[in-house]
Amino acid sequence: MMGRLSKIAGKQVTVTVDNDVNLAQISHLSQGMVPAVELHIIDKRKISPDQRKKIWALLNDLCNYTGDVPEDWSARFKYKVQLDFGVKPFSLSDCSVAVGNYMILEILDFLFAEDIPFQTKLWDSLPEDFPRQRLCLRNRTCVICGQPHADLAHYTTVGMGRNRRTIDERKMYFMTLCRKHHQYQHQVGIQAFCQQYHIKPLKLSDDDLLRFKILTNRELQKLQENDRD
């Protein structure tokens, strides 16, 4: 469904769609639950030389590990970007900034999933608007150092006067931290920790909560039923 962004007022966003909305179809797709939507802003900016350099640095690190040719892996990741993000075939010479970021995200996701080391300093140099924290949540890696098997940390501590059985995870903010950084976070306090490392914990969509196994379908349906009561 395509449309134009008409108005933004705080967290309220108004979108005017190009065609009439089929409520029956939306209800079917969401299986009767409150539907989650994703707002995608078409990026007219062109890929920067720095982005392109990071992409090829990662591809070279991957090929140094596998013995393959960077151009072959580039073609594979381009195809995966097209499938996962719904973009048309593109070239790294003139694609958008957003597509360049998708390419970096796909490569990093693969490196983490396959436990392939990379030698570049890319991790520390990613821009703040890059979805590094979402990547870390998906792969349960530390958002600070990239270590695997990280803890899922709440921005607001669950045990601080809260009942874990009644907490609504949809209203919580998350980040993933290795044991070392998680302990340090508790030592210095969450606000000081986030300021030190420039972290902005994420509030997750219903789909993300299910995907990351933070909630089950049954738990999510129960919360949505409580919303309607």
Side-chain angles (χ1 to χ4, degrees):
M1 184 181 297
M2 301 294 291
R4 295 184 179 276
L5 183 60
S6 303
K7 182 181 178 182
I8 299 178
K11 294 185 178 180
Q12 299 296 319
V13 176
T14 302
V15 175
T16 302
V17 297
D18 295 338
N19 303 305
D20 291 338
V21 178
N22 188 325
L23 294 178
Q25 184 180 21
I26 291 176
S27 178
H28 174 71
L29 292 174
S30 62
Q31 297 182 334
M33 298 188 294
V34 177
V37 297
E38 181 178 355
L39 180 63
H40 174 69
I41 306 298
I42 297 176
D43 194 343
K44 297 292 186 180
R45 301 168 298 167
K46 296 296 184 182
I47 186 172
S48 69
D50 184 54
Q51 277 182 301
R52 198 178 299 110
K53 180 179 178 181
K54 290 173 180 177
I55 289 170
W56 286 108
L58 282 174
L59 290 173
N60 285 325
D61 283 344
L62 170 58
C63 291
N64 287 337
Y65 184 86
T66 63
D68 297 324
V69 178
E71 287 74 14
D72 289 346
W73 277 104
S74 175
R76 295 185 200 181
F77 286 121
K78 285 179 181 178
Y79 182 66
K80 196 153 190 329
V81 167
Q82 293 172 45
L83 290 179
D84 291 347
F85 296 97
V87 301
K88 297 178 180 179
F90 61 92
S91 169
L92 291 176
S93 64
D94 61 356
C95 66
S96 70
V97 168
V99 171
N101 273 344
Y102 295 156
M103 190 75 170
I104 295 173
L105 181 63
E106 289 285 8
I107 300 171
L108 282 174
D109 198 16
F110 180 81
L111 295 178
F112 280 125
E114 299 298 326
D115 197 23
I116 297 175
F118 54 95
Q119 302 300 319
T120 69
K121 296 297 183 182
L122 174 70
W123 194 245
D124 293 330
S125 63
L126 288 174
E128 290 186 2
D129 61 349
F130 186 80
R132 176 168 65 173
Q133 290 172 228
R134 192 168 297 278
L135 175 69
C136 290
L137 278 166
R138 185 163 58 196
N139 292 286
R140 288 296 176 94
T141 55
C142 180
V143 70
I144 306 300
C145 64
Q147 289 294 314
H149 312 302
D151 298 334
L152 186 66
H154 291 81
Y155 180 72
T156 302
T157 305
V158 175
M160 296 298 290
R162 297 169 182 263
N163 186 334
R164 287 180 179 269
R165 294 185 178 181
T166 60
I167 189 171
D168 189 345
E169 299 282 7
R170 299 172 302 170
K171 299 177 182 178
M172 302 295 289
Y173 291 81
F174 298 91
M175 56 187 169
T176 42
L177 301 172
C178 67
R179 188 54 52 87
K180 175 183 176 182
H181 284 110
H182 201 171
Q183 291 176 343
Y184 179 64
Q185 174 251 303
H186 284 297
Q187 291 174 6
V188 301
I190 186 65
Q191 292 184 349
F193 182 84
C194 289
Q195 290 176 358
Q196 178 179 343
Y197 290 104
H198 307 288
I199 295 175
K200 186 177 181 181
L202 294 176
K203 188 175 182 180
L204 302 177
S205 68
D206 290 351
D207 287 341
D208 284 338
L209 290 167
L210 294 174
R211 185 181 304 115
F212 302 146
K213 302 186 187 321
I214 297 171
L215 288 178
T216 64
N217 272 299
R218 183 177 181 180
E219 290 169 338
L220 179 58
Q221 288 180 340
K222 180 67 175 178
L223 290 171
Q224 292 177 338
E225 288 172 1
N226 292 339
D227 291 341
R228 294 191 286 268
D229 290 343

